[in-house]
């Protein structure tokens, strides 16, 4: 049975050490819904990731096909990425039974799915990271077999279920504004004449999938239209914003809202033909058209690129 001996030379499990193999992975952490963060390979804290990690790369897909009489093969009509499962084998250990139980119980308390969704984060050596929302679906029930536990150690295989199949990159924030100069600059922020924000800009989404932004519009403005010429979709706000008003239009899937000043539902003030569009991977030709603005009018864009792999 292979044993990984730490730098101190002491075995974590006393006379019955755990089967810990060396494992080279970037930093992987778990943050529960209460904000408690645990580094998953942490010798000092008494847990180490084991070989056998699965589910970090491409998600599974459902493919929808049709067959036609007298035509060989099928026609692909559509597909959808499935919810993702990530499997993490983890060894817990200590030099004493009491220390081992304290460490294991402390970590397992963060896996309670009733707390809500937590976050798995993969961080590379250069500081770049990707995250995915998840909850622990199985694996922490307890297995006390001969090859999975001892007096001072236990190896568990935790399965995390991820409602979205995509890993999220670092948030992107862009600001657009109106100024009194009347000039247009094709760099961010966009500055145009003070009666109207009429800006054409290119937004480059570095992700592998469509990303859905949150738009924050600071008045005044008598009308707002934001469109994506790459997809041909747009949404419009038909009511006026005062100088102190802030409208947040959230286009994210399953979260779509339009809220004024943090409390008032402004969904009825979106044009009936509005589509809360997303940013396609790569370049998107976007136009912002606001009437009745002044130098205080700004539009903020926030989104997280979505990736197929960690």
């Amino acid at each position: 049975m292979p044993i990984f001996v730490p730098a101190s030379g002491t075995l974590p499990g006393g006379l019955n050490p755990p089967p810990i193999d060396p494992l080279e992975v970037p930093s992987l952490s778990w943050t529960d819904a209460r904000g408690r963060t645990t580094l998953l390979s942490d010798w000092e804290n008494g847990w180490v990731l084991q070989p056998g990690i699965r589910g970090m790369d491409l998600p599974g897909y459902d493919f929808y096909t049709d067959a036609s009489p007298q035509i060989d093969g099928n026609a692909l009509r559509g597909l959808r990425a499935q919810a993702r499962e990530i499997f993490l084998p983890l060894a817990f250990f200590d030099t004493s039974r009491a220390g081992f139980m304290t460490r294991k119980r402390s970590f397992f308390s963060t896996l309670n799915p009733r707390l809500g969704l937590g976050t798995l984060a993969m961080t590379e050596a250069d500081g770049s990271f990707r995250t995915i929302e998840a909850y622990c679906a199985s694996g922490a029930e307890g297995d006390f077999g001969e090859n999975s536990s001892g007096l001072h150690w236990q190896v568990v295989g935790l399965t995390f279920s991820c409602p979205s199949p995509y890993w999220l990159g670092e948030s992107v924030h862009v600001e657009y504004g109106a100024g009194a100069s009347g000039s247009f600059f094709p760099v961010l922020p966009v500055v145009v004449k003070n009666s109207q924000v009429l800006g054409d800009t290119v937004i480059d989404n570095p992700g592998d999938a469509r990303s859905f932004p949150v738009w924050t519009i600071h008045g005044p403005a008598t009308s707002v239209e934001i469109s994506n010429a790459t997809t041909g979709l747009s949404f419009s706000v038909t009511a006026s914003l005062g100088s102190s008003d802030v409208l947040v239009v959230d286009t994210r899937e399953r979260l779509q809202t339009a809220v004024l000043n943090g409390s008032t539902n402004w969904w009825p003030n979106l044009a009936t033909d509005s589509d809360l569009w997303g940013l396609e991977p790569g370049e998107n030709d976007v136009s912002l058209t606001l009437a009745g603005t002044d130098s205080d009018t700004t539009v903020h864009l926030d989104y997280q690129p979505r990736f197929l792999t960690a």
Side-chain angles (χ1 to χ4, degrees):
M1 178 179 295
I3 299 172
F4 177 41
V5 181
S8 64
T10 58
L11 298 176
L15 297 176
N16 184 18
I20 300 175
D21 291 331
L23 184 64
E24 293 184 0
V25 293
S27 175
L28 185 63
S29 64
W30 161 248
T31 301
D32 73 1
R34 292 180 177 174
R36 296 175 290 183
T37 298
T38 303
L39 184 64
L40 294 182
S41 262
D42 190 340
W43 185 275
E44 295 299 325
N45 281 328
W47 41 73
V48 178
L49 282 167
Q50 296 290 276
I53 295 174
R54 299 192 302 271
M56 307 294 284
D57 291 327
L58 291 181
Y61 287 89
D62 293 323
F63 296 93
Y64 304 100
T65 62
D66 288 336
S68 300
Q70 299 182 358
I71 299 177
D72 296 334
N74 291 328
L76 179 62
R77 300 302 185 190
L79 69 154
R80 61 180 292 274
Q82 301 169 350
R84 181 190 294 267
E85 285 194 345
I86 296 176
F87 179 74
L88 300 176
L90 197 62
F92 296 87
F93 53 84
D94 201 289
T95 55
S96 71
R97 173 70 177 176
F100 159 67
M101 292 301 295
T102 297
R103 288 177 169 181
K104 185 179 75 166
R105 288 167 176 166
S106 175
F107 177 70
F108 274 29
S109 70
T110 72
L111 301 179
N112 183 356
R114 290 188 180 275
L115 298 177
L117 288 173
T119 302
L120 289 168
M122 179 74 85
T123 304
E124 300 290 341
D126 63 1
S128 63
F129 64 89
R130 292 180 182 179
T131 64
I132 192 167
E133 287 190 326
Y135 59 90
C136 184
S138 65
E141 297 82 7
D143 180 356
F144 300 97
E146 179 180 358
N147 295 319
S148 59
S149 67
L151 190 61
H152 303 158
W153 64 276
Q154 186 176 356
V155 177
V156 298
L158 302 177
T159 297
F160 288 87
S161 183
C162 308
S164 171
Y166 300 113
W167 292 85
L168 299 179
E170 188 171 359
S171 296
V172 177
H173 177 77
V174 184
E175 296 186 11
Y176 305 87
S181 68
S183 300
F184 174 78
F185 301 93
V187 295
L188 304 182
V190 173
V191 181
V192 292
K193 56 187 177 182
N194 87 346
S195 64
Q196 185 180 63
V197 175
L198 183 56
D200 293 331
T201 186
V202 176
I203 300 173
D204 190 0
N205 173 12
D208 302 316
R210 187 181 298 126
S211 294
F212 292 89
V214 177
W215 298 93
T216 303
I217 304 161
H218 296 255
T222 55
S223 67
V224 178
E225 181 177 4
I226 301 178
S227 59
N228 187 340
T230 301
T231 60
L233 302 176
S234 66
F235 68 88
S236 302
V237 180
T238 58
S240 296
L241 298 174
S243 58
S244 62
D245 287 333
V246 179
L247 174 64
V248 177
V249 180
D250 191 336
T251 73
R252 290 175 295 174
E253 296 170 309
R254 300 184 176 90
L255 296 173
Q256 294 184 341
T257 56
V259 178
L260 182 71
N261 298 330
S263 60
T264 304
N265 176 23
W266 257 42
W267 191 268
N269 292 322
L270 296 181
T272 56
D273 60 348
S274 291
D275 190 304
L276 299 188
W277 48 266
L279 295 166
E280 296 295 323
E283 293 186 347
N284 292 255
D285 295 318
V286 174
S287 295
L288 299 89
T289 306
L290 284 74
T293 68
D294 65 20
S295 59
D296 293 326
T297 304
T298 60
V299 178
H300 298 186
L301 163 66
D302 293 275
Y303 72 96
Q304 282 186 279
R306 304 199 295 178
F307 298 92
L308 293 173
T309 64

